[in-house]
């Protein structure tokens, strides 16, 4: 678990994507630098808080779907600051024995997740870098307390929600996804969302990219065609790659962007890694 010394070493003067996202959702696990950066994005793209809420609702639906398919372990990379309806809570509503490992680059997000999960043998959180997938996978396989949560030889629900757009170089991003996909057992699932180039004006994207360039994780908007490439080697389930409010919508979720789904700002999809023929 995190210590007071670890918390004291955290640089709160530099914004991070995880804490800015927490601010968009109305959370309190953020600092003045995060709020100032987030407000600059909101000033240019006022719908960002609604986009974040709509995205979070999609993630809950996607986790329920994958849990309903029988998956009993979830690896959430880029999990962010804990908020209402966390992955382990949603999945354990379907099957109480479900295990979850959260991974984030932001030490504040990890500390808060560890505090939330204290005493929970079925879930944990660690600091890790999506940009170094082989290193992260090796850690999971070799550290007994992590391999007890995630067994890569069995089907896994891999969640990459709103995180791949923080790997700017296309080839690096596709290589990361290839490494992760190839590590997963047949019958695993990939739950992924990504910021859409089609949703925003160029000026809006420029402002957002400049703001996130000051964080540890500069961002990159991608087109639908570019995002679809992340799912190569998998079987996308219906309705395929769509805007977040279009993916198996529920009346229990915020009814936002229903008339103009592209304004939700994010593509999303859920795909299965098939058994070898």
């Amino acid at each position: 678990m995190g210590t007071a010394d670890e918390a004291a070493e955290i640089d709160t003067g530099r914004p991070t994507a995880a804490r800015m996202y927490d601010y968009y959702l109305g959370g309190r696990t953020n600092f003045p630098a995060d709020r100032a950066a987030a407000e600059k994005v909101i000033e240019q793209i006022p719908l960002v808080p609604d986009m974040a809420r709509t995205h979070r609702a999609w993630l809950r639906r996607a986790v329920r779907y994958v849990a309903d398919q029988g998956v009993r372990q979830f690896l959430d990379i880029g999990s962010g600051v804990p908020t209402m309806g966390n992955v382990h809570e949603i999945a354990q509503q379907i099957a109480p024995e479900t295990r979850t490992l959260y991974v984030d680059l932001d030490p504040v997000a990890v500390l808060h997740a560890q505090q939330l999960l204290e005493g929970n043998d079925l879930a944990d959180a660690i600091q890790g870098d999506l940009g170094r997938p082989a290193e992260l996978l090796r850690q999971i396989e070799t550290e007994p307390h992590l391999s007890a949560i995630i067994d890569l030889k069995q089907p896994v629900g891999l969640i990459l929600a709103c995180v791949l757009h923080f790997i700017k170089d296309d080839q690096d991003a596709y290589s990361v996804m290839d490494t992760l996909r190839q590590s997963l057992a047949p019958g695993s699932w990939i739950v992924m969302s990504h910021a859409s180039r089609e949703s925003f004006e160029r000026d809006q994207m420029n402002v957002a990219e400049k703001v996130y360039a000051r964080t540890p994780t500069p961002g990159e908007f991608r087109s639908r065609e570019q995002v679809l490439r992340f799912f190569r080697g998998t079987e996308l389930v219906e309705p395929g790659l769509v805007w977040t409010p279009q993916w198996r919508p529920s009346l229990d979720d915020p009814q936002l962007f229903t008339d103009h789904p592209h304004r939700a700002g994010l593509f999303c999809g859920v795909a299965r890694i098939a058994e070898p023929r």
Side-chain angles (χ1 to χ4, degrees):
M1 297 299 168
T3 67
D5 288 342
E6 289 173 320
E9 294 173 0
I10 293 169
D11 180 5
T12 61
R14 185 183 186 189
T16 70
R19 300 196 301 261
M20 289 171 64
Y21 186 74
D22 176 70
Y23 180 75
Y24 298 147
L25 288 171
R28 298 181 179 180
T29 309
N30 47 72
F31 301 100
D34 306 304
R35 296 190 283 275
E39 283 295 342
K40 288 181 180 179
V41 176
I42 293 171
E43 181 180 353
Q44 188 68 27
I45 311 174
L47 290 175
V48 161
D50 283 345
M51 293 175 185
R53 291 173 57 204
T54 301
H55 175 263
R56 196 70 195 177
W58 160 75
L59 180 58
R60 291 193 293 266
R61 298 196 302 274
V63 170
R64 288 191 193 101
Y65 175 86
V66 174
D68 279 338
Q69 310 313 304
V71 170
R72 296 297 177 258
Q73 51 179 356
F74 285 84
L75 175 59
D76 186 352
I77 304 177
S79 52
V81 176
T83 186
M84 291 183 62
N86 292 297
V87 170
H88 73 284
E89 296 168 332
I90 298 298
Q92 287 178 355
Q93 290 173 3
I94 307 297
E97 71 275 18
T98 301
R99 307 182 305 280
T100 304
L101 180 63
Y102 296 102
V103 181
D104 204 276
L105 187 62
D106 186 337
V108 172
V110 175
L111 283 171
H112 278 263
Q114 289 174 337
Q115 291 166 3
L116 174 70
L117 298 169
E118 191 165 5
N120 187 336
D121 295 334
L122 297 178
D124 201 354
I126 60 171
Q127 190 171 5
D129 187 350
L130 174 63
R132 299 178 177 178
E135 180 180 311
L136 175 59
L137 293 167
R138 185 164 54 251
Q139 181 181 0
I140 292 171
E141 289 181 306
T142 58
E143 295 188 15
H145 73 288
L146 299 181
S147 60
I149 296 174
I150 299 295
D151 179 0
L152 292 172
K153 296 182 178 63
Q154 300 298 321
V156 174
L158 172 64
I159 298 174
L160 297 167
C162 236
V163 66
L164 276 166
H165 48 237
F166 294 121
I167 300 180
K168 289 196 65 173
D169 182 270
D170 283 355
Q171 292 310 311
D172 286 348
Y174 295 131
S175 176
V176 164
M177 178 60 97
D178 288 344
T179 298
L180 291 171
R181 185 187 66 251
Q182 291 163 10
S183 76
L184 300 178
S188 293
W189 292 80
I190 294 174
V191 175
M192 196 270 279
S193 58
H194 195 292
S196 159
R197 185 173 292 170
E198 286 89 337
S199 295
F200 305 99
E201 301 293 334
R202 183 67 256 179
D203 288 348
Q204 293 177 314
M205 290 190 285
N206 285 341
V207 169
E209 287 171 356
K210 287 179 181 177
V211 171
Y212 280 97
R214 297 197 291 271
T215 75
T217 52
E220 175 76 10
F221 293 84
R222 291 188 171 95
S223 67
R224 186 181 190 279
E225 181 180 353
Q226 288 174 301
V227 176
L228 191 60
R229 282 187 61 189
F230 286 113
F231 288 101
R232 59 189 176 189
T234 69
E235 298 175 350
L236 270 165
V237 299
E238 292 295 333
L241 184 67
V242 295
W243 307 108
T244 47
Q246 293 179 315
W247 199 91
R248 300 176 182 250
S250 167
L251 292 177
D252 294 332
D253 290 330
Q255 300 303 296
L256 300 168
F257 307 110
T258 53
D259 293 334
H260 304 283
H262 74 281
R263 300 182 71 184
L266 293 151
F267 290 119
C268 67
V270 176
R272 184 174 183 271
I273 297 175
E275 301 282 348
R277 296 182 182 276

